[in-house]
Amino acid sequence: MYDGIVQELIDELGRLPGVGPKSAQRIAFHILQTPSFDVSRLAKLLAEVRERVKFCERCGNVSEAELCAICRDPRRDQTLICVVEDAKDVSAIERTREFRGLYHVLGGAINPMAGVGPNELRIRELMTRLADGTVQEIILATNPNLEGEATAAYLSRLMGDMEIAVTRLASGLPVGGDLEYADEVTLGRAFAGRRSA
Amino acid sequence: MYDGIVQELIDELGRLPGVGPKSAQRIAFHILQTPSFDVSRLAKLLAEVRERVKFCERCGNVSEAELCAICRDPRRDQTLICVVEDAKDVSAIERTREFRGLYHVLGGAINPMAGVGPNELRIRELMTRLADGTVQEIILATNPNLEGEATAAYLSRLMGDMEIAVTRLASGLPVGGDLEYADEVTLGRAFAGRRSA
């Protein structure tokens, strides 16, 4: 335990995800003892970030404008929408540089145990985007877990009558992974999804 | 990569010790997406902490006053000083509730490779505290590594002529540890410091 503000700061840092009491203490002392660390800049960003960041009105990605940078970019393929659970997934997919279409962030996945049903997700907004017939393909990129699969199945059924191709990201062995350490489900998927070599 | 301030915040969080790019992203999104997290409180603490926190004039521990809470406490044993490298060590020792004396924070350990010699540490301040003859024992609680041992050896030599007992924390097997996994040096120390059972 420390005097006053140091302990308050450690407690507050410890509320951040992935920051335990030891890390919180290390961070607090780093801030105190490292003159080159610009703590006022971090304080200013934290104070402003919630006010300045909106979510894109169209796709739900993080954005400082009404539309995010991807939705504003006319070079992106407007006929293709990749549906993800979270804005963090947009960033992960962008890093692959494999995808040049648009996104739609659901804001989670169907999870009855946690009280998350289709109405809690941005599914109505997705259907609205499909109304004008521009979109040709929907890529369901929800997580390959129970909730993500349920959400993908639900969306796939919902779009069954539309003239839109609905695809799902491939499941299989991670590149660079070791077959020996793959779990059964992943290995099963890798067999089911095998391609001619 | 995200728009503007979100990426700035991720970059800035990533400069904190032990926070990699993935953790920084998770923290930034937690702040954005968790209304119950009081980000303005954290921002305020960060903005104020360096101004409000001084270091104790006597012992070098963190403090919001000229003297820290431990130095101000008349119930602490004024004849005993525990010498540590860092203010974080004070907190670790306080948690044991085994020690009721005072502290002296050196601000590091002797490390010629990093350009830290005796003059860079609060050694002169320590010697001043010993001048009036109140202190009967100095416990050297620097880390049990190369730099900490060198610092303890240096201080021990420095106090060789004084009428003060100079002791060093015991080295040995960690409690709850497994002999099989102890490194040779620790195991060697445990043998050298063996006591009658």
Side-chain angles (χ1 to χ4, degrees), chain B:
Chain B
M1 291 294 287
Y2 298 94
D3 269 16
I5 191 172
V6 180
Q7 190 61 45
E8 285 176 54
L9 179 59
I10 292 172
D11 291 344
E12 209 59 33
L13 289 167
R15 276 186 245 282
L16 295 170
V19 179
K22 286 264 174 190
S23 313
Q25 179 179 290
R26 202 162 74 236
I27 293 172
F29 273 85
H30 179 82
I31 287 165
L32 274 174
Q33 298 175 331
T34 316
S36 64
F37 180 78
D38 191 350
V39 69
S40 60
R41 191 175 141 73
L42 177 58
K44 191 163 170 293
L45 288 170
L46 288 170
E48 291 180 4
V49 69
R50 276 209 199 142
E51 274 171 54
R52 276 177 50 189
V53 174
K54 303 167 183 60
F55 290 89
C56 174
E57 288 186 359
R58 190 181 297 159
C59 77
N61 190 13
V62 288
S63 174
E64 286 184 55
E66 285 184 14
L67 290 184
C68 74
I70 294 170
C71 283
R72 284 198 311 269
D73 185 348
R75 293 163 306 178
R76 308 285 303 212
D77 185 345
Q78 310 285 321
T79 69
L80 202 55
I81 291 183
C82 178
V83 177
V84 295
E85 293 182 20
D86 198 277
K88 286 195 285 288
D89 302 327
V90 171
S91 169
I93 294 170
E94 285 296 288
R95 277 195 296 271
T96 68
R97 302 183 171 273
E98 291 282 338
F99 180 70
R100 295 300 301 164
L102 304 174
Y103 291 94
H104 193 84
V105 179
L106 293 173
I110 294 174
N111 186 348
M113 300 292 278
V116 182
N119 290 333
E120 275 70 51
L121 305 175
R122 298 180 64 260
I123 291 176
R124 205 173 308 113
E125 289 85 341
L126 175 61
M127 301 316 278
T128 308
R129 290 178 72 182
L130 305 182
D132 72 357
T134 309
V135 176
Q136 311 279 305
E137 181 180 350
I138 292 283
I139 301 171
L140 299 172
T142 51
N143 288 323
N145 57 23
L146 207 65
E147 292 80 18
E149 298 287 5
T151 309
Y154 178 86
L155 290 174
S156 177
R157 255 198 318 276
L158 206 59
M159 296 168 190
D161 300 336
M162 298 178 171
E163 298 224 332
I164 297 175
V166 180
T167 57
R168 180 94 178 94
L169 289 189
S171 273
L173 296 172
V175 177
D178 195 327
L179 203 132
E180 189 183 350
Y181 299 116
D183 63 284
E184 307 90 281
V185 181
T186 301
L187 202 50
R189 292 276 178 90
F191 270 95
R194 69 191 181 279
R195 297 174 306 178
S196 57

